[in-house]
Amino acid sequence: MPFTPYTHTNPDDPGREDEGLFGPGSVTWQIMSSRIMWVAALRALYLQALHPRVIRGTLQNAPGITQPVDGWARLRRTRKFIETRTFGTTAEAEQAGRRVRRIHRSLTGTDPDGTRYRLDEPELLLWVHCGEVASAADIARRSRLPFSAADLDAFVAEQRASAELIGIDPAAAPASMAELDAYYEQIRPRLYASEEARHALRVISLPPVPDGIRVLKLGMPPVSILAFSTLPRWARRMYGRPGGPLSDMAATAGLRAARMMFNQQRLFSGAMRAIYRAEMAGERAGS
């Protein structure tokens, strides 16, 4: 049976019930509307894979995610959820959140020693949440989007509403960039690049693409490499590719160049059409 995608009312629709969890005056709307957030999304995946239980549980419950068809179908579902959560009405966002929580409640993972765990454990949910927020904030800052340090703090604080939506106690989620940094210092001893994480690294770096979509075959690897290069040095070190200060400077320069490229309407529209074709190929195969 096909998966019904998350849907939301267009923000420009005058008949909308309300402005949702954030609204047009929020930093969240401004950051998440930027096209450079596609790089942030890939960066978040690399980062999230460093928690062994998160990546293990993901691959155990969605083994097809590394295949061209299923992987792009799941990308569409995740993308539609984020859009609904961010830009939908309050009712639409809450409905999407209930759906995600219901799915996560039914999922478990198994450690190599046979220990079973729930995928909706607070630590795992918080790790995924922080990976997304940290990636969006860091890419916004380094690509020179027009946000101050106070704006980025506001973004992190606003995202506690997103955390609550998927079942996290908002009081447990970071409320500033400093708290986000402190969170990473605290959790780093429990992170490492497992074999599953290294497999995810290979898949994201050279993502499988459905046949006939040449634009993605050519365009995705450079964007994936750029996203990896923006990871914190400690995260790259876990993957065995630490780089150094010059690598960090090159990544920042690459982000700024990518932002200018993404602002070229014809180029970006062509890329989005290719992504849509890949996503829909997966949806049709699953129907």
Side-chain angles (χ1 to χ4, degrees):
M1 184 174 180
F3 184 96
T4 304
Y6 302 96
T7 58
H8 67 279
T9 308
N10 190 305
D12 296 326
D13 187 338
R16 276 171 61 103
E17 296 176 358
D18 58 37
E19 298 293 0
L21 299 181
F22 306 105
S26 66
V27 183
T28 292
W29 270 36
Q30 296 174 61
I31 285 182
M32 299 304 288
S33 296
S34 174
R35 295 170 176 177
I36 199 66
M37 286 301 110
W38 280 96
V39 178
L42 294 176
R43 180 192 189 274
L45 294 177
Y46 287 126
L47 190 58
Q48 290 162 349
L50 288 173
H51 194 299
R53 281 191 160 183
V54 167
I55 187 60
R56 186 177 300 129
T58 298
L59 294 178
Q60 287 176 356
N61 285 277
I65 201 169
T66 60
Q67 302 303 312
V69 171
D70 191 41
W72 286 93
R74 290 179 181 276
L75 171 66
R76 180 170 185 254
R77 295 165 197 170
T78 301
R79 177 173 65 83
K80 298 297 286 185
F81 168 72
I82 292 173
E83 290 175 355
T84 300
R85 178 195 71 194
T86 304
F87 303 109
T89 65
T90 301
E92 290 165 343
E94 290 178 346
Q95 181 181 24
R98 286 192 297 271
R99 186 175 182 178
V100 166
R101 293 196 302 273
R102 184 170 63 250
I103 292 170
H104 286 168
R105 266 198 306 271
S106 67
L107 302 178
T108 61
T110 305
D111 287 330
D113 64 1
T115 302
R116 291 177 66 84
Y117 59 92
R118 294 170 57 107
L119 263 62
D120 64 353
E121 289 181 0
E123 177 183 323
L124 307 188
L125 294 177
L126 183 60
W127 168 252
V128 172
H129 167 77
C130 288
E132 181 183 331
V133 174
S135 295
D138 190 62
I139 296 301
R141 177 181 61 83
R142 294 173 67 182
S143 64
R144 284 190 174 169
L145 289 176
F147 299 110
S148 65
D151 290 331
L152 295 180
D153 280 341
F155 171 70
V156 177
E158 289 170 2
Q159 285 302 304
R160 287 180 295 177
S162 296
E164 185 173 20
L165 206 62
I166 61 171
I168 301 169
D169 177 359
S176 67
M177 292 294 289
E179 290 185 14
L180 196 56
D181 289 343
Y183 166 79
Y184 279 109
E185 285 297 319
Q186 171 262 321
I187 199 170
R188 272 170 59 181
R190 301 201 290 280
L191 308 177
Y192 64 91
S194 63
E195 181 53 42
E196 293 95 338
R198 295 181 185 279
H199 178 58
L201 172 65
R202 293 190 292 269
V203 171
I204 301 168
S205 298
L206 291 170
V209 177
D211 292 336
I213 308 180
R214 188 167 180 268
V215 170
L216 288 185
K217 287 182 181 293
L218 296 175
M220 281 297 296
V223 177
S224 299
I225 292 169
L226 174 61
F228 181 85
S229 72
T230 67
L231 285 171
R233 203 174 305 169
W234 59 261
R236 300 198 308 269
R237 188 177 299 114
M238 288 183 182
Y239 279 115
R241 305 179 185 182
L246 291 178
S247 299
D248 295 336
M249 293 170 61
T252 298
L255 274 176
R256 293 169 185 172
R259 182 185 162 209
M260 288 189 290
M261 288 181 61
F262 287 2
N263 284 339
Q264 297 180 29
Q265 185 60 38
R266 184 176 178 181
L267 177 66
F268 188 76
S269 295
M272 288 305 301
R273 285 194 297 270
I275 289 172
Y276 179 76
R277 285 175 57 202
E279 290 176 344
M280 294 313 296
E283 292 294 347
R284 286 194 296 271
S287 61

